[in-house]
Each structure stands twice: as C-alpha cells, then as structure tokens.
Amino acid sequence: MMPQSYNQHQPMNDAKRAAAERARKLGLSYAGALLPGEAHELMKAGAKLVDVRTKPELLYVGSIPGAVTIEWQTYPGSRPNPEFLAELAALTKKDEPVMFICRSGARSHGAAEAAMRAGWRETYNVLEGFEGDKDSEQHRNSVGGWRKAGLPWVQS
C-alpha cells in the first residue's frame, strides 16, 4: 500500500518538468520536448499522442497503439496538410496536453509549433521520433527513437 502522501501523478509531473527545461534550453515556443519514454508515461496518464507521419509510413514502418494519426504532410508530394488543424481540433481538446511524434522529430516539431500558435495550450514534441536518427551505416532504429526504447508499437 502506498503512503497517503504518494502522488500518483509524480512521473507525469517529472516528465513535464524535464520537457519544459529542454524547451527552455532549446528556445522552443511550445510546452516541451519529451524523450520517447516520457511521452509514453504521459500517454499512459491520459495525454494525447498524435502521430503526424504519412499513411504509408504507418502502414509499412509501424504505428503506436492508442496514438491518433494526422498527416502533417500529405503523401504523395510531401505538401503541408491543409486540414491538419481542423483534423487536430476534431480529435483533441485545446486545454489538454497534446504530444506530436514523427519519424525523427522534425515534422512533429512543426506540428507542435502550429498547434501552439492555433491555441492549443500544452503542446510537446517527441524528440528522436518513432525511428530515431540514422546511424553510421545510414540506418534508423538503432540510435534513439520510440522503437529503440522498446515502447509499444505494432506493424501491419
């Protein structure tokens, strides 16, 4: 049994604090920059994870159970998705924490910024993304990322 003073939200608060400190150091305009494990903790605590990769990436590379999916850039063509903010509004609330993930953290950075500018109060980017950066052999999934961290994912 936990002592009465135990705060079940402590892991969430710790993750948010660490993310906010990274955002301050990086000069980010949104609430924070999360490591994959921190994003997973926040997701388990009820925060929305929005995967902004393209449909083919989700289909062929893998997806995160429980994440909502909204393309940041359309496939094919890699053009900005003109419906991104409308789709985000349909799936999330502006007063709840919303985290964004992509392959490596670049598109999700743009999504977190755009959502913050559009009125979402607490947006986060998931650093390293789903696949992480390329290694010395130019392969992903060995240097950082959601999958490398051993977090839940599925492949069709």
Side-chain angles (χ1 to χ4, degrees):
M1 187 164 131
M2 293 287 177
Q4 283 195 327
S5 63
Y6 176 76
N7 181 351
Q8 69 187 51
H9 298 292
Q10 194 60 42
M12 183 171 64
N13 293 336
D14 291 347
K16 285 183 176 186
R17 241 187 317 279
E21 179 60 20
R22 283 185 209 99
R24 188 188 64 72
K25 286 181 180 175
L26 295 169
L28 303 175
S29 60
Y30 45 84
L34 296 159
L35 296 174
E38 294 166 340
H40 185 243
E41 286 300 314
L42 291 179
M43 190 178 177
K44 289 191 306 187
K48 291 272 186 168
L49 179 62
V50 179
D51 195 324
V52 300
R53 294 176 295 148
T54 63
K55 288 175 181 65
E57 285 176 288
L58 297 167
L59 183 63
Y60 296 112
V61 179
S63 60
I64 300 168
V68 297
T69 59
I70 307 170
E71 286 184 328
W72 173 246
Q73 295 175 323
T74 60
Y75 179 86
S78 295
R79 291 182 187 86
N81 175 2
E83 299 301 317
F84 180 80
L85 291 173
E87 292 176 34
L88 185 63
L91 296 171
T92 67
K93 297 176 185 155
K94 289 189 173 186
D95 62 351
E96 68 182 354
V98 181
M99 308 172 293
F100 298 91
I101 191 168
C102 64
R103 180 185 63 201
S104 60
R107 286 173 286 175
S108 51
H109 166 76
E113 281 189 327
M116 188 272 315
R117 283 193 309 270
W120 274 262
R121 293 193 191 120
E122 194 177 344
T123 65
Y124 298 89
N125 180 27
V126 180
L127 299 171
E128 303 174 6
F130 186 72
E131 295 182 74
D133 291 330
K134 291 180 181 175
D135 63 17
S136 60
E137 302 292 318
Q138 300 302 302
H139 300 140
R140 295 192 188 272
N141 297 304
S142 63
V143 180
W146 186 276
R147 285 182 10 173
K148 173 83 165 81
L151 299 170
W153 67 283
V154 295
Q155 193 165 22
S156 52

